[in-house]
Amino acid sequence: MLKKLTISQHFLLWAVFATLIFYIAIFLGWTGLGMARDSLKTVHDKNMVRTVQLVEMANELNENRALILRAFQHDPKDPLSAFHDHPLSEHLNMIKANAGEITRLWTAYAAGEHDDEEKQLMADFMAKRGTWLAKLNGTVAALERGDFSPQTKW
């Protein structure tokens, strides 16, 4: 059958075949890009969102450490207290708000899927956070009473 085709018909057949292969390649490429996009979205949703939550928690913890030190500078016996033109409660309220934000972030983080190693690390974090919160809350309560004694400091 191919022997009966003229040269122009052969060229036309090859052009149709090449065009068909071209569109199949475009279709496969488009499908592959869609699958890659979906895969990256999964990686982002599963890993990066959780990483951002952990970073935000770390930032809030670091801010609370700095705030507690600034709160101690409100001690009337401390020469630095003259530089604070705002009430002590400003620092203490921010500490409480940050602790609430950390709890909110932790709840969102813990709601995700975690492997056994992550679960162990989460349990370790919660134990250490419990110790931190007990000391932090005790210190905040003492500062609210105006107790700047060395026993209050860590």
Side-chain angles (χ1 to χ4, degrees):
M1 173 182 159
L2 290 177
K3 291 183 180 185
K4 294 181 182 182
L5 296 176
T6 64
I7 259 197
S8 61
Q9 290 172 330
H10 272 128
F11 284 135
L12 180 62
L13 185 62
W14 276 111
V16 168
F17 178 71
T19 303
L20 180 64
I21 295 296
F22 176 73
Y23 283 115
I24 288 172
I26 288 175
F27 172 76
L28 291 175
W30 194 264
T31 304
L33 285 172
M35 290 170 38
R37 179 199 63 223
D38 294 343
S39 176
L40 284 174
K41 182 171 177 20
T42 301
V43 167
H44 175 268
D45 292 347
K46 186 174 181 182
N47 297 329
M48 289 308 297
V49 169
R50 293 191 313 192
T51 300
V52 169
Q53 290 168 333
L54 291 173
V55 167
E56 288 176 359
M57 283 188 277
N59 288 342
E60 297 292 333
L61 282 167
N62 286 333
E63 185 176 357
N64 273 357
R65 287 187 193 109
L67 285 168
I68 202 73
L69 292 173
R70 285 188 213 121
F72 276 108
Q73 293 175 354
H74 282 266
D75 183 355
K77 298 173 192 164
D78 190 335
L80 290 174
S81 66
F83 294 107
H84 289 271
D85 60 351
H86 53 273
L88 171 64
S89 62
E90 184 175 316
H91 296 294
L92 301 181
N93 290 338
M94 287 175 64
I95 289 170
K96 291 174 188 174
N98 288 345
E101 179 64 10
I102 292 168
T103 300
R104 184 192 70 76
L105 288 166
W106 181 257
T107 303
Y109 177 79
E113 294 180 29
H114 303 281
D115 62 23
D116 292 338
E117 183 182 4
E118 286 176 312
K119 288 177 183 175
Q120 179 62 38
L121 291 170
M122 290 168 62
D124 186 45
F125 172 78
M126 285 306 292
K128 290 177 180 174
R129 183 168 187 245
T131 304
W132 162 257
L133 282 177
K135 188 65 177 175
L136 180 68
N137 291 336
T139 303
V140 167
L143 290 172
E144 286 176 331
R145 293 188 311 269
D147 180 6
F148 293 92
S149 66
Q151 292 80 14
T152 305
K153 296 180 182 177
W154 302 354

